[in-house]
């Protein structure tokens, strides 16, 4: 069983930055593809960025060039650096880990972009 705990959300002004963290219960990065998703009110959950155990990361067009996914394998932590934030980035942000039919989610962290 994989446990994921997000942190780092909050209120930020347009143009500002935030870094989200996702602490995992073990070194899942060896085997699981990990990623960040978000869900805005009234909208479906959407993928933002994914990072396989090996290989290239992938970004959604909406965040490419603004958001950066990274991981620290010594701390079992996944990060999402968010820059140039816009009001439309307001959502609950989730981290995810999947491998085959195993799919795990964190509880989510709220990000609000507003002046």
């Amino acid at each position: 069983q994989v446990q994921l705990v997000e942190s780092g959300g909050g209120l930020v002004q347009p143009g500002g930055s935030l870094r989200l963290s996702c602490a995992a219960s073990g070194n899942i990065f060896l085997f699981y593809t990990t990623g960040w998703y978000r869900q805005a009110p009234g909208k479906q959950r959407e993928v933002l960025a994914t990072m396989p155990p090996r290989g290239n990361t992938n970004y959604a067009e909406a965040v490419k060039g603004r958001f950066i996914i990274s991981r620290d394998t010594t701390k079992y932590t996944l990060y999402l650096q968010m820059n140039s934030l816009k009001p439309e980035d307001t959502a609950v942000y989730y981290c995810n880990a999947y491998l085959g039919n195993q799919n795990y989610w964190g509880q989510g962290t709220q990000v609000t972009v507003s002046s």
Side-chain angles (χ1 to χ4, degrees):
Q1 185 79 7
V2 173
Q3 294 182 328
L4 304 170
V5 179
E6 300 99 335
S7 61
L11 174 64
V12 62
Q13 292 188 341
S17 298
L18 277 178
R19 189 177 79 157
L20 305 183
S21 300
C22 174
S25 53
N27 194 359
I28 62 172
F29 305 119
L30 290 175
F31 306 108
Y32 289 77
T33 291
T34 52
W36 287 96
Y37 295 67
R38 70 185 178 191
Q39 187 166 17
K43 295 188 176 182
Q44 289 189 330
R45 191 171 297 187
E46 62 174 341
V47 60
L48 303 176
T50 58
M51 176 177 283
R54 287 165 296 279
N56 296 326
T57 58
N58 293 285
Y59 292 93
E61 286 299 321
V63 303
K64 195 175 292 185
R66 297 190 299 126
F67 291 9
I68 301 171
I69 188 172
S70 64
R71 65 194 179 199
D72 186 332
T73 57
T74 64
K75 296 181 179 179
Y76 305 161
T77 302
L78 184 72
Y79 300 100
L80 185 69
Q81 177 67 44
M82 305 187 295
N83 302 317
S84 302
L85 284 162
K86 307 173 183 179
E88 51 263 43
D89 293 319
T90 295
V92 178
Y93 284 68
Y94 299 90
C95 65
N96 171 268
Y98 76 86
L99 172 64
N101 61 356
Q102 300 177 60
N103 194 24
Y104 300 99
W105 295 93
Q107 83 288 353
T109 185
Q110 176 71 45
V111 172
T112 302
V113 184
S114 175
S115 55

